Amino acid sequence: MTSHTYRQLFRTPEFTPLFLSSAAHTAAQTAGALALGTLVHRATGSPLLSAVSMFGPSLAQVLGATVFLSGSDRLPPRATLTGLSLAFAAATAVLALPGLPVAALFAVVLLQGLIASLGGGVRWGLLNEILPKDGYLTGRSVFNIMSGLTQITGYAAGGALVAVLSPRSVLLLAALLYAAAAVVARLGLTVRPPRASGRPTAAMTRRTNADLWSSRPRRLTYLGLWLPNGLVVGCEALFVSYDPGAAGTLFACAALGMLAGDVTVGRLLPPVLRSRLATPLLLLLATPYVVFALRPALPVAAVCAAVASVGFGASLVQQERLMALTPPELSGHALGLHSAGMLTMQGVGAALAGTIAQLTSPSTAMAVMALASIGVTATLAAAGREARSPVAPRVAHRERS
């Protein structure tokens, strides 16, 4: 069992407003992405464009990670989180404008990705600062649980609202949710100084990225956080084209599975057992999507999506390892690099899956992406075993010193 209960977390100053602001932000992202994907699919009929419209902001994360990420530890958290949510509100309102050309829509989507590249590092760095060191995994588990519940509700409600109202109306509701997230952050968080000194610059971002990447244990941890996850999100990006009328149901079932995985890994498993489960959970994350090669009916597809998403709990184990390998003053940047890299690979996975679906079919593409994720997980597991060979610990120790 973990040393911090969920009740203790919510008694920690600033945890609740950060939690509520993040919940509103996630709800807006969920409903807005489904509405946008539906809008593009109706306009173009393209699986590729539909997938990229939903996960396209992630593609811009790689640029943001090389330019803006040093701001994760060098900007005041409250003002930054408030400004980011307001920027998302404005961009989402633009997406709801009638007659907006598809090219302009994608330009706004990529701008959102650039804005978002800073958010993960600021948010998770602040969480790591608010909580005691041994409370981060439990706290992040609560945020993941919130994300799962919010996605279940958001996709279900978003699907219903898209059908009853219109995608543009749902985008406007998402803009209001982003604005609410900004208000909660502004009123609920206290003024905190940046965790690190100096101005956030592109050069500082590149130097810190290189330092984090120079350690082989951290490098393998980052690849494990990014690649299998991104390939499987490519499968999810095809839900709309796989079954346009039931995409909300599939997304909600996937979110339910993610919720179950986060509760189990973050709250129920003892640390000794938890540390051994990263690879099995990543294999679970991908394997059920192989079944989609048979183009299963909705009930079977929904079960596969739910079971697979339990495997997202692997990220908690991997993040705990990442924090153990990272100096405290770089925690925000390290978590921001994780977030930006993960979202970038999700965008790449969505684009790759959409391309394969365009050439074959959504069901075939989902199975291909799942097999690729399994192969990557097996390769990284073998590399990790090599790193833990009798010579490797001495090398790892030098890299962390």
Side-chain angles (χ1 to χ4, degrees), residues 73 75-77 129 191-196:
D73 295 302
L75 292 174
E129 188 176 357
V191 176
R192 286 174 176 264
R195 284 177 293 276

Side-chain angles (χ1 to χ4, degrees), residues 14-290:
E14 296 188 82
F15 182 87
T16 298
L18 181 62
F19 176 87
L20 293 176
S21 175
S22 299
H25 197 95
T26 301
Q29 283 182 318
T30 301
L34 181 59
L36 188 60
T38 304
L39 185 68
V40 172
H41 190 265
R42 289 179 182 177
T44 66
S46 168
L48 172 59
L49 294 180
S50 175
V52 173
S53 68
M54 293 187 69
F55 295 92
S58 304
L59 290 171
Q61 294 270 348
V62 65
L63 178 59
T66 61
V67 178
F68 304 126
L69 204 51
S70 62
S72 299
D73 295 302
R74 293 172 174 82
L75 292 174
R78 184 179 74 167
T80 305
L81 290 175
T82 301
L84 288 172
S85 291
L86 288 175
F88 262 92
T92 305
V94 170
L95 291 173
L97 292 174
L100 189 68
V102 173
L105 183 149
F106 277 102
V108 176
V109 165
L110 291 177
L111 177 62
Q112 284 183 314
L114 286 174
I115 296 169
S117 63
L118 187 58
V122 176
R123 182 174 289 107
W124 306 131
L126 178 59
L127 178 66
N128 193 54
E129 188 176 357
I130 288 172
L131 297 176
K133 189 171 182 62
D134 62 347
Y136 176 79
L137 184 137
T138 310
R140 187 61 191 265
S141 170
V142 170
F143 273 76
N144 286 1
I145 291 168
M146 171 273 292
S147 180
L149 289 171
T150 304
Q151 288 180 32
I152 292 169
T153 305
Y155 282 127
L161 289 171
V162 165
V164 173
L165 301 174
S166 70
R168 287 190 172 86
S169 298
V170 177
L171 285 169
L172 288 175
L173 290 174
L176 291 175
L177 282 171
Y178 281 126
V183 171
V184 173
R186 177 63 180 79
L187 298 179
L189 299 176
T190 61
V191 176
R192 286 174 176 264
R195 284 177 293 276
S197 60
R199 291 191 308 111
T201 64
M204 180 65 71
T205 296
R206 288 193 294 270
R207 284 198 297 271
T208 308
N209 285 345
D211 182 50
L212 290 169
W213 192 252
S214 65
S215 164
R216 188 165 189 261
R218 278 198 299 263
R219 192 160 59 243
L220 289 174
T221 302
Y222 274 127
L223 291 174
L225 281 162
W226 296 344
L227 298 179
N229 177 300
L231 291 166
V232 169
V233 168
C235 300
E236 295 183 349
L238 296 175
F239 283 165
V240 171
S241 52
Y242 181 80
D243 191 340
T249 299
L250 292 173
F251 277 119
C253 289
L256 179 63
M258 185 176 70
L259 169 64
D262 286 329
V263 171
T264 301
V265 174
R267 190 72 187 98
L268 302 179
L269 295 179
V272 174
L273 177 59
R274 184 173 63 224
S275 64
R276 302 171 183 168
L277 289 182
T279 297
L281 285 168
L282 288 175
L283 293 174
L284 176 63
L285 179 62
T287 302
Y289 282 105
V290 177

